[in-house]
Amino acid sequence: MARRAIALGLVLSLVVAPVPARGDQPDLSAVDEAIRSVVSGGEVPGAVVIVGQGERILYRKAFGSRSLVPRQEPMTEDTVFDVASLTKVVATTPAVLLLWQQGRLDLDAPLGRYLSEFTGRAYRQVTVRRILTHTAGFPDLPPVEAMRQGFPKAAAILAGGALQFSPGAGFRYSDTGFILLGELVRRVSGQPLDRFVAKHLFLPLGMRDTSFRPPPTQLPRVAPTEALSGQMLLGTVHDGNARLLGGVAGHAGLFSTADDLARFCRMLVTEGRGPSGQILTSATLKAMWSPMEVGEVARGLGWDIASPFSRVIAPFFPRGSVGHTGFTGTALWLDPGSGTCLILLTNRVHPYGKGRVNGLRSKVAAEVGAALFTPPLPTAPASPARAATADEVPASPGGAVLSGLDVLAAEQFALLAGRRVGLVTNQTGLDARGRRGIDLLAAAPRVRLKAIFSPEHGLTGQGIGNVPHGSDAATGIPVWSLYGAERRPTRAMVSGVDALVVDLQDVGVRYYTYLATLLYVLEEAARFRIPVVVLDRPNPITGKIVEGPVMDPDLRSFTASHPIAVRSGLTIGEFARMVVAERKIPAALTVVPLAGWHRALWYDETGLPWVNPSPNIRTLTQALLYAGVGLLEGTNLSVGRGTEAPFEMVGAPWIEPVPLAEAMNQKGLPGVSFQPVVFTSSADPYAGKQVAGVRLQVTDRGAIRPVAVALALAAEIRARYRHQFSAEATQNLLVNRSTMWALLRGEPLSRLMAWTEAERADFLHRRASYLIYR
């Protein structure tokens, strides 16, 4: 079902994807600024960029140097690059699909039909399609000995290895799989991969500068690279395994120019037609770009759609876009709906290059997206959330609020009688008297506490970064970390457990990772057929106010686990109800509701003890501001982490605090004022350095809208410090393309805020079905 839903999403995106106007030449000068700043900073020696749309070239420029040693040479538009893993989508994938198009292979046939070494039982479910989508289970890199032997001996060695997971059950980006596809092309076609693609693809498209082993005449235009050994390479592939295979391999080895790649992209976005006729049919293109989803990853055949590798570019292109990147600093991204393509080639592995290119990829993609994609702004007004018609909750004695843990304890843990329990909790799992849920469950009659699971920051809430497994000092019960090597409970972790209980204090913000931990627990519990009980806790910043854009569904990640608003107004129990229903998780879910809580209550009105939910949220005000200022964490601004007032201050070394504070106060944003501030943080991007900026003073917590405040601040800083501020990194947590494009375009604050609320009515309608409280 999920796979069909994603496919439908792709079809819809191809229909409604924003299309730039064809009459005017778009202003892409911001791309110049983005690349020049990176080149001048020494991140890469040089770059070539092409932006195309249909058959038009909108932008084509070279920057910096092709070579720094042994002599400096300027970068030129016709520079030949080692495109690394772009080989997978420019050569290997189309070669396999051409053979499929010709009826010479079946994408759903086992690999053993074409490579006899793989006819064993372990490989029966390893299909060509799964190899193309990196879901076959092959390891990421092959053994060096196999590469030294070369084919056909390499195939036997690889077949003697073990798969990393059952075919179709996971995703692992695999050079090994594509190396085997290169050999498959040779055996099925009777021609080596390089000759096959030259004849059937590159020559018909006029890609005269594209080959696996550049001829001597092209060497003066090749951007040199440096091998790990320090050896200078000119026209020799950078990838070590491809070198062992003689320079021709299915995963790497191709050399090309930006112009040739533009010719390739033009064929793809013009229904597979080349100068001399049809290359790929519409059926082939549809098959190539139809997503296959595994967890949070969606891949086409060869192409990336949504994965950890796509997150530097895809969030700035319309939903349904596809692309790929290469280790040497290359990237190719295209939007089939508008026919737009971005080609970014750098020589990041050149000697003296620092080799950092992901920031550049995001900057360029962000500026291209902001310039070219402008969807129509919805005009329908947001509708208020209707009252819940769900469960009525009992009134608590004396008007105090009781958490789900308190309610469960008051009922003598009857819900868990006879159960062997795994408890997902941390330092916030206390009852109204300050007693740990761990201790209460461990002492409960007819309940056996078997295991404890901790989210980000660990059981004590003080951990930074990955948290190791351990044990609880008081009870000796094992503590399994769900924020380390594993973020999902495994079968071994839940061995002997027949009920999972979740007791975590959320902060009411989409990107708070406890929500993702809850979702993963629900998904794995459904797989292991273990019921889940969620002990509800208050939304500390009220359940009444909903604010901020709904995330784009295809941009899911650990900090964007489900399409909800930034400030959702949901309790963690209501969120559990929503994800189980909307994602059709076959989990047996029970929510133990709060007693005495209603949606307008702030946490300090509940009578429950405040416990810092994480190290940098120490007050209710900080939790409130985190709902907006937290969006800026991924940028190069300090948000006050490592100070006495995290999320109450925003600054950077290059900000002039007084003018910024004055400009922000002039906006008249309700519930907040801004004061100039200078501070030094022990964390953040500028640890130990003095920075300047503004301090946010909440004057009316009911009136302030933190998301609006943060976006207004980001827009003002971008207007003043465009060259210094990495505004595009806001998208890491914003994950909403329309709002991001509007911010980057510098649209007026009123229009920017209209984008944040564009899907509000739909979200409120969805949310209403899962509300427990009035």
Side-chain angles (χ1 to χ4, degrees), residues 101 220 317 338 410 412 566 598 767:
Q101 189 173 282
F317 266 55
S338 63
Q412 303 296 311
V566 172
H598 60 82
R767 187 184 85 130

Side-chain angles (χ1 to χ4, degrees), residues 35-122:
I35 298 178
R36 284 182 180 133
S37 66
V38 171
V39 171
S40 64
E43 303 297 315
V44 295
V48 178
V49 182
I50 284 182
V51 179
Q53 184 187 98
E55 298 186 0
R56 296 194 305 158
I57 297 298
L58 305 178
Y59 182 97
R60 177 179 179 268
K61 286 189 180 180
F63 300 85
S65 299
R66 175 164 60 212
S67 174
L68 297 174
V69 291
R71 62 184 180 277
Q72 186 169 2
E73 297 176 2
M75 186 69 76
T76 59
E77 287 88 347
D78 64 350
T79 294
V80 178
F81 290 85
D82 176 344
V83 299
S85 283
L86 295 193
T87 302
K88 294 179 174 74
V89 293
V90 179
T92 309
T93 295
V96 171
L97 292 178
L98 281 167
L99 291 171
W100 174 69
Q101 189 173 282
Q102 295 165 7
R104 300 168 73 179
L105 65 79
D106 181 351
L107 294 177
D108 295 308
L111 178 63
R113 180 181 297 182
Y114 309 108
L115 302 185
S116 60
E117 295 89 344
F118 291 86
T119 54
R121 182 182 184 87

Side-chain angles (χ1 to χ4, degrees), residues 311-616:
R311 288 175 191 153
V312 295
I313 297 179
F316 305 103
F317 266 55
R319 186 178 182 185
S321 65
V322 299
H324 214 285
T325 58
F327 182 82
T328 53
T330 58
L332 185 161
W333 218 264
L334 59 92
D335 170 41
S338 63
T340 303
C341 72
L342 166 64
I343 297 157
L344 171 61
L345 306 180
T346 77
N347 50 349
R348 83 169 187 95
V349 289
H350 186 279
Y352 304 119
K354 294 180 182 177
R356 293 191 288 264
V357 76
N358 276 345
L360 175 62
R361 286 169 173 163
S362 290
K363 282 180 180 293
V364 172
E367 299 297 354
V368 170
L372 297 185
F373 305 117
T374 311
L377 181 65
T379 56
S383 61
R386 62 179 176 85
T389 56
D391 317 332
E392 288 291 340
V393 297
S396 59
V401 172
L402 298 179
S403 70
L405 175 60
D406 291 307
V407 172
L408 186 69
E411 296 172 351
Q412 303 296 311
F413 299 95
L415 184 63
L416 301 176
R419 294 287 191 177
R420 294 165 296 176
V421 171
L423 176 62
V424 184
T425 192
N426 61 6
Q427 79 287 353
T428 65
L430 304 180
D431 72 356
R433 294 164 55 186
R435 299 176 298 178
R436 295 195 313 164
I438 293 172
D439 300 322
L440 294 175
L441 274 170
R446 297 183 297 157
V447 178
R448 186 178 176 191
L449 183 58
K450 288 277 293 180
I452 300 168
F453 301 85
S454 65
E456 184 180 5
H457 306 302
L459 191 61
T460 65
Q462 296 300 314
I464 302 297
N466 284 348
V467 177
H469 304 308
S471 61
D472 177 53
T475 63
I477 295 171
V479 179
W480 298 101
S481 171
L482 298 181
Y483 196 81
E486 301 286 347
R487 295 196 176 181
R488 295 172 177 267
T490 65
R491 189 175 294 278
M493 292 178 188
V494 298
S495 176
V497 169
D498 61 14
L500 283 166
V501 177
V502 180
D503 187 19
L504 295 168
Q505 177 60 63
D506 179 42
V507 298
V509 179
R510 182 184 64 216
Y511 38 82
Y512 208 59
T513 62
Y514 298 172
L515 296 181
T517 296
L518 170 60
L519 171 61
Y520 291 177
V521 167
L522 288 165
E523 289 179 333
E524 297 310 303
R527 193 157 68 92
F528 302 140
R529 303 193 179 199
I530 299 174
V532 178
V533 176
V534 174
L535 307 182
D536 211 2
R537 289 187 174 271
N539 185 320
I541 56 176
T542 83
K544 187 176 181 180
I545 301 170
V546 173
E547 187 194 5
V550 176
M551 62 166 278
D552 289 343
D554 63 314
L555 299 181
R556 282 186 295 162
S557 71
F558 196 63
T559 53
S561 57
H562 193 68
I564 60 176
V566 172
R567 185 180 178 185
S568 67
L570 294 168
T571 67
I572 196 166
E574 292 170 334
F575 175 80
R577 286 163 55 113
M578 173 180 271
V579 296
V580 164
E582 294 191 341
R583 296 175 77 139
K584 297 179 171 57
I585 301 171
L589 170 67
T590 301
V591 176
V592 178
L594 295 151
W597 187 79
H598 60 82
R599 310 205 75 79
L601 282 181
W602 294 82
Y603 195 90
D604 57 10
E605 297 171 329
T606 66
L608 293 170
W610 172 268
V611 180
N612 296 345
S614 52
N616 283 283

Side-chain angles (χ1 to χ4, degrees), residues 198-276:
K199 177 180 178 180
H200 296 279
L201 189 66
F202 301 152
L203 289 177
L205 290 176
M207 297 170 63
R208 294 180 176 82
D209 286 330
T210 301
S211 64
F212 276 88
R213 287 175 287 214
T217 55
Q218 288 183 2
L219 294 184
R221 291 190 286 125
V222 171
T225 62
E226 183 179 34
L228 294 177
S229 63
Q231 176 188 4
M232 179 78 76
L233 302 174
L234 186 68
T236 299
V237 62
H238 181 268
D239 183 271
N241 287 323
R243 282 203 305 278
L244 289 173
L245 292 172
V248 179
H251 72 300
L254 195 67
F255 286 75
S256 190
T257 63
D259 287 329
D260 270 7
L261 293 177
R263 293 181 177 97
F264 176 74
C265 289
R266 190 176 302 127
M267 178 270 294
L268 295 178
V269 301
T270 55
E271 302 179 341
R273 294 188 301 271
S276 56

